[in-house]
């Protein structure tokens, strides 16, 4: 069985400070990993994905995530956050051979001016 | 860019009504999904479809049905709406390869009175 854990439901952080949003998963097969972002009153948008190759993946707006197979983690980081990063972030796992995604319960990031 | 369009952003219905939520995608994706999103619970899969007229139950199918008569359209049906079905509903589509990300619509916020 697969599961995705986002331990932090809410993360407040001051503008220009670094942030890490944690994601751990469990799966009996290899997986593809995704981070999605949801701005207020909108659907989910893909932020970044890990399929294979380099374990560090980056998005166009400064976020990065590192796949750690031994720790079954895929934490999301940004060295300096902006007010516009305030949103809810979801980690998701797609086991190889499966049709659907398994989502974590989300982390609400609030950037404080 | 992939476009997933949900027919309504906000919908208010009464208990016992039959409710239809419509979703259309324009990228010829084989797979389509319906989720509901509730605070603290993340996204939960209701149903998905991997081809026209094909469907599979997700984690919480009770009280819902789906229809996929055409490849681009996936409908979610609440046969007899109840107050516990008040939620945000999100539709997504994806190419059949499961290393591809899901693309989401903006969601329908449904209130059952």
């Amino acid at each position: 069985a697969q599961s995705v854990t986002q331990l932090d439901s809410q993360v407040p952080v001051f503008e220009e400070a670094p942030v890490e949003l944690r994601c751990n998963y469990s799966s009996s097969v290899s997986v593809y990993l995704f981070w999605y972002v949801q701005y207020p009153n909108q659907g989910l948008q893909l932020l970044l994905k890990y399929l294979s190759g380099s374990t560090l993946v980056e998005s166009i707006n400064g976020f990065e995530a590192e796949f750690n197979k031994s720790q079954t983690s895929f934490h999301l980081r940004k060295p300096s956050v902006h007010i516009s990063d305030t949103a809810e972030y979801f980690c998701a796992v797609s086991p190889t051979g499966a049709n659907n995604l398994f989502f974590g319960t989300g982390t609400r990031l609030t950037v404080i001016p | 860019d992939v476009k997933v369009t949900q027919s309504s952003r906000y919908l208010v219905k009464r208990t016992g009504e039959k409710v239809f939520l419509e979703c259309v995608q324009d990228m010829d994706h084989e797979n389509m999904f319906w989720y509901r999103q509730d605070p603290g619970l993340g996204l939960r899969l209701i149903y998905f479809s991997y081809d026209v007229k094909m469907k599979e139950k997700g984690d919480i199918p009770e009280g819902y049905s789906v229809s996929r008569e055409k490849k681009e359209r996936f409908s979610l049906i609440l046969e007899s709406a109840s107050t516990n079905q008040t939620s945000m509903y999100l539709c997504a589509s994806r190419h059949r390869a499961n290393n591809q990300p899901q693309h989401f619509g903006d969601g329908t916020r449904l209130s059952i009175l």
Side-chain angles (χ1 to χ4, degrees), chain A residues 32 34 36 38 41-46 49 51 88 90 94-106, chain B residues 9-10 31 33 35 37 40-43 45 48 50 90 94 96 98-107 109:
Chain A
Y32 304 113
F34 305 86
Y36 284 85
Q38 185 180 34
N41 297 316
Q42 293 186 24
L44 276 69
Q45 301 174 30
L46 180 68
K49 61 184 178 184
L51 303 181
E88 189 149 22
F90 291 91
S94 179
T96 53
N99 276 315
N100 52 312
L101 280 175
F102 295 87
F103 284 88
T105 52
Chain B
R9 293 297 305 275
Y10 301 93
N31 294 355
F33 307 82
Y35 296 88
Q37 182 181 11
L41 298 178
L43 276 73
L45 182 65
F48 70 95
Y50 51 90
L90 291 167
R94 193 196 70 184
R96 63 170 165 258
N98 81 322
N99 64 354
Q100 296 300 304
Q102 292 186 14
H103 300 268
F104 285 81
D106 283 337
R109 190 167 292 281

Side-chain angles (χ1 to χ4, degrees), chain A:
Chain A
Q2 288 77 33
S3 69
V4 182
T5 302
Q6 293 181 248
L7 283 174
D8 306 305
S9 60
Q10 297 190 56
V11 173
V13 63
F14 286 105
E15 193 174 13
E16 297 184 4
V19 70
E20 178 179 82
L21 307 183
R22 295 180 293 167
C23 173
N24 289 87
Y25 69 93
S26 66
S27 177
S28 56
V29 299
S30 57
V31 297
Y32 304 113
L33 296 157
F34 305 86
W35 274 100
Y36 284 85
V37 59
Q38 185 180 34
Y39 298 104
N41 297 316
Q42 293 186 24
L44 276 69
Q45 301 174 30
L46 180 68
L47 190 59
L48 45 76
K49 61 184 178 184
Y50 171 78
L51 303 181
S52 64
S54 173
T55 57
L56 184 66
V57 291
E58 299 177 355
S59 72
I60 57 173
N61 57 354
F63 282 95
E64 64 180 29
E66 186 160 20
F67 170 54
N68 187 317
K69 188 174 182 180
S70 62
Q71 296 186 6
T72 60
S73 68
F74 190 52
H75 301 331
L76 182 70
R77 302 184 185 95
K78 189 170 184 179
S80 176
V81 295
H82 301 133
I83 295 291
S84 58
D85 294 325
T86 293
E88 189 149 22
Y89 292 80
F90 291 91
C91 180
V93 165
S94 179
T96 53
N99 276 315
N100 52 312
L101 280 175
F102 295 87
F103 284 88
T105 52
T107 297
R108 184 172 299 278
L109 173 64
T110 301
V111 180
I112 305 163

Side-chain angles (χ1 to χ4, degrees), chain B residues 6-98:
Chain B
Q6 294 185 230
S7 53
S8 305
R9 293 297 305 275
Y10 301 93
L11 207 54
V12 180
K13 296 291 183 180
R14 296 203 175 275
T15 304
E17 280 192 69
K18 191 169 186 176
V19 181
F20 294 85
L21 303 184
E22 307 286 347
C23 175
V24 176
Q25 50 95 3
D26 66 356
M27 282 301 292
D28 204 36
H29 283 165
E30 292 82 7
N31 294 355
M32 295 188 75
F33 307 82
W34 275 107
Y35 296 88
R36 66 176 281 176
Q37 182 181 11
D38 300 288
L41 298 178
L43 276 73
R44 293 179 291 167
L45 182 65
I46 304 171
Y47 268 97
F48 70 95
S49 168
Y50 51 90
D51 204 346
V52 175
K53 297 190 185 297
M54 308 302 287
K55 61 184 180 183
E56 283 198 25
K57 294 180 180 179
D59 299 320
I60 51 166
E62 297 78 17
Y64 303 95
S65 63
V66 290
S67 171
R68 189 147 180 223
E69 296 297 317
K70 293 184 178 181
K71 192 173 186 180
E72 68 271 17
R73 186 181 296 272
F74 191 35
S75 303
L76 180 70
I77 303 154
L78 286 65
E79 297 289 344
S80 178
S82 63
T83 54
N84 63 10
Q85 293 177 308
T86 291
S87 186
M88 168 73 94
Y89 290 87
L90 291 167
C91 174
S93 74
R94 193 196 70 184
H95 185 275
R96 63 170 165 258
N98 81 322

